[in-house]
Amino acid sequence: RLSNDRNRFMLARTPIMLKQMIAGDDASFVFERIGTQFSNIMIDEFQDTSQLQWENFRVLLLDNLASGGLSMIVGDIKQSIYRWRNGDWHILYNLGQRGYNGIPLKEKPLDVNYRSLGQIVTFNNRFFPIAARKLDHLSANETQQLQALYSDVEQHIDKRKDPKGGFVRIHICHSTEKDVQEAWPETMLADLCSQVAQLHAQGLPYEEMTILLRKNRYIEPVISYFAEHRPEV
């Protein structure tokens, strides 16, 4: 009601408004009507595009291509993990497989990792194809296509970085025994604290360490444990 009284609308309603404007109209006419012309288009983070957004983008992209413009879609299906605003990774996957309306797409994979050190890149190259194959085998869902999605996961190490640099350590805590499950949080916290102490002893400053947690409720136990066992952190 406040938005209507002040002649405003929520930004989240923009895709709905565009779809209503485009429906039954030629795209170029619609965008001329709002006083906008696009010669070149780039859409980033395309893996998070929803079906509603794609219906709007699709008309605009086709009109742009028909006019001789350049359209670029940037995205990584493997990053489609958050489902922001009903994001659908199938859109990007199908475009890569079949193109659109007979229009082939020119793919440009970014196969050099400029962010990570050598050991991390090597670990990713070896781990994720195996994990995708295992999960596809275990899944009862025939539409799961993790192996296909991770077929381009392998990257090259930036030549400016040390191929032996970096470190990966995996510690799996798992047991069906009730007493072990109940003791797991203490075991995990002790192991985490030990890792931090070891890395610091090897010369890594505390301010360059980051602890990633899945949920906010896990933050307080970690802080409390470190406050008691490693207050200097």
Side-chain angles (χ1 to χ4, degrees), residues 185-200 206 209-213 218-233:
E186 183 73 18
T187 303
M188 180 272 295
L189 290 170
D191 182 69
L192 177 61
C193 196
S194 175
Q195 289 184 63
V196 169
Q198 182 179 358
L199 290 171
H200 185 68
Y206 290 129
M209 300 184 193
T210 300
I211 299 174
L212 300 179
L213 303 169
Y218 299 147
I219 297 175
E220 194 278 330
V222 172
I223 293 176
S224 298
Y225 191 90
F226 272 80
E228 179 181 352
H229 295 86
R230 295 197 67 84
E232 72 278 9
V233 177

Side-chain angles (χ1 to χ4, degrees), residues 16-125:
I16 299 175
M17 181 193 70
L18 283 175
K19 183 176 177 59
Q20 293 171 343
M21 292 177 62
I22 293 174
D25 257 327
D26 179 69
S28 60
F29 174 72
V30 171
F31 287 99
E32 286 174 8
R33 194 164 56 181
I34 63 176
T36 304
Q37 292 183 338
F38 300 97
S39 299
N40 302 294
I41 301 172
M42 184 186 78
I43 305 176
D44 198 7
E45 303 293 352
F46 192 84
Q47 73 276 355
D48 296 323
T49 299
S50 69
Q51 286 291 341
L52 175 59
Q53 291 172 324
W54 174 233
E55 286 301 311
N56 296 332
F57 293 153
R58 179 181 58 83
V59 178
L60 178 60
L61 291 174
L62 285 175
D63 181 75
N64 184 60
L65 289 172
S67 302
L70 172 67
S71 294
M72 179 184 297
I73 291 175
V74 182
D76 183 359
I77 301 173
K78 298 183 294 299
Q79 295 184 33
S80 299
I81 58 177
Y82 300 114
R83 303 295 187 267
W84 301 127
R85 294 186 176 89
N86 300 315
D88 186 352
W89 61 265
H90 293 86
I91 301 171
L92 181 57
Y93 178 76
N94 291 331
L95 284 174
Q97 295 294 307
R98 301 191 291 267
Y100 188 76
N101 273 13
I103 302 175
L105 302 182
K106 182 179 179 180
E107 292 190 56
K108 177 62 177 177
L110 304 180
D111 56 359
V112 178
N113 190 314
Y114 294 99
R115 295 182 176 180
S116 304
L117 295 177
Q119 292 288 2
I120 298 173
V121 177
T122 300
F123 169 81
N124 290 340
N125 290 344

Side-chain angles (χ1 to χ4, degrees), residues 78 121 124-126 128-129 149-156:
K78 298 183 294 299
V121 177
N124 290 340
N125 290 344
R126 294 177 178 176
F128 285 102
L149 300 185
Y150 279 79
S151 61
D152 64 344
V153 71
E154 185 171 349
Q155 293 183 312
H156 302 293

Side-chain angles (χ1 to χ4, degrees), residues 121-146:
V121 177
T122 300
F123 169 81
N124 290 340
N125 290 344
R126 294 177 178 176
F127 174 79
F128 285 102
I130 296 175
R133 185 168 63 251
K134 291 284 187 181
L135 290 173
D136 274 348
H137 178 72
L138 294 173
S139 176
N141 183 0
E142 295 181 357
T143 63
Q144 186 159 320
Q145 303 165 311
L146 292 179

